[in-house]
Amino acid sequence: MKRKALKITAFILALALIGGIGFFANALVGNPISKFLANRSAEKYISETYPEGDFLIRDVRYDFKVGGYYAKIYSPRSIDSDFELRIDFFGKVHYDTYEYSVLTGENTAQRINKEYREAVDRVLNSTLFPYNSDIGYGDIEFIPEEYKDNFDVPSYAIVTEALVPDAIYDINEMGRKAGHLTIYV
């Protein structure tokens, strides 16, 4: 009788330990069932919310900091139409960054800034550049419409909402108008 009680106790303890490890692992890396639900929810959401778009899912990943999943969405015909969906364990979409990332011009501003920074890096890393610099980069000053009249915003800052997604911009001209160079020599 004692032996049987000991076996049952050990079995219950083992189940509790396995359950605790599973719960801990689920909190850190998610689980395949929730990922499947998140993927299916993302597909349904983009087909219902953006039926005219040609959006595809690039990736669905677990984010342990928020305890849910995010789906990276993109359009193969648009370089500025990337956004994310935040999805919980049960497949419910809680947040869509399309408006912020695409409609406000944030993605376009980031693309332009990246091109400008790469152009500045080519100059700073050139053997013809006369100075040795450990820190050097270039940025273009972009600002959301709502902050353009703040006292600490330069008058030459480019309003992100004025940018047109997928448009080709002259980064040299934008750099002359609103570029910043930071160089430590």
Side-chain angles (χ1 to χ4, degrees):
M1 187 69 175
K2 227 179 190 185
R3 189 166 175 90
K4 189 175 184 178
L6 190 60
K7 284 183 179 180
I8 291 173
T9 304
F11 179 72
I12 291 172
L13 187 61
L15 282 180
L17 186 61
I18 290 170
I21 291 170
F23 181 77
F24 184 71
N26 185 49
L28 284 179
V29 296
N31 67 68
I33 295 169
S34 293
K35 185 173 182 176
F36 170 78
L37 291 174
N39 196 48
R40 194 172 70 185
S41 294
E43 288 173 356
K44 182 179 178 190
Y45 182 86
I46 61 175
S47 68
E48 290 176 355
T49 309
Y50 309 107
E52 72 288 342
D54 60 342
F55 295 112
L56 301 172
I57 299 171
R58 175 172 288 133
D59 195 14
V60 174
R61 294 206 177 188
Y62 181 71
D63 184 356
F64 75 91
K65 291 180 274 186
V66 297
Y69 291 84
Y70 64 90
K72 291 191 175 272
I73 312 299
Y74 76 101
S75 170
R77 292 187 293 160
S78 170
I79 56 176
D80 292 331
S81 292
D82 292 359
F83 63 100
E84 289 184 1
L85 301 176
R86 292 286 178 176
I87 306 165
D88 67 15
F89 271 104
F90 305 107
K92 183 175 184 221
V93 176
H94 286 280
Y95 189 68
D96 174 353
T97 66
Y98 180 80
E99 184 176 333
Y100 170 74
S101 299
V102 180
L103 298 182
T104 65
E106 185 64 29
N107 285 353
T108 307
Q110 288 179 8
R111 173 178 55 89
I112 293 167
N113 202 41
K114 181 181 178 211
E115 290 173 13
Y116 182 70
R117 186 172 275 226
E118 289 170 354
V120 169
D121 286 347
R122 281 192 299 275
V123 172
L124 297 179
N125 295 331
S126 169
T127 56
L128 300 175
F129 188 67
Y131 302 104
N132 185 14
S133 173
D134 291 330
I135 299 173
Y137 59 90
D139 282 317
I140 295 180
E141 184 74 34
F142 290 104
I143 194 76
E145 176 82 34
E146 64 184 307
Y147 300 119
K148 74 174 185 164
D149 294 328
N150 286 10
F151 73 93
D152 60 341
V153 174
S155 61
Y156 54 82
I158 299 170
V159 175
T160 55
E161 286 86 350
L163 299 171
V164 177
D166 302 326
I168 305 300
Y169 290 95
D170 182 356
I171 61 165
N172 294 323
E173 183 58 37
M174 292 182 101
R176 275 192 281 289
K177 179 182 176 195
H180 290 271
L181 293 176
T182 302
I183 303 171
Y184 286 77
V185 178

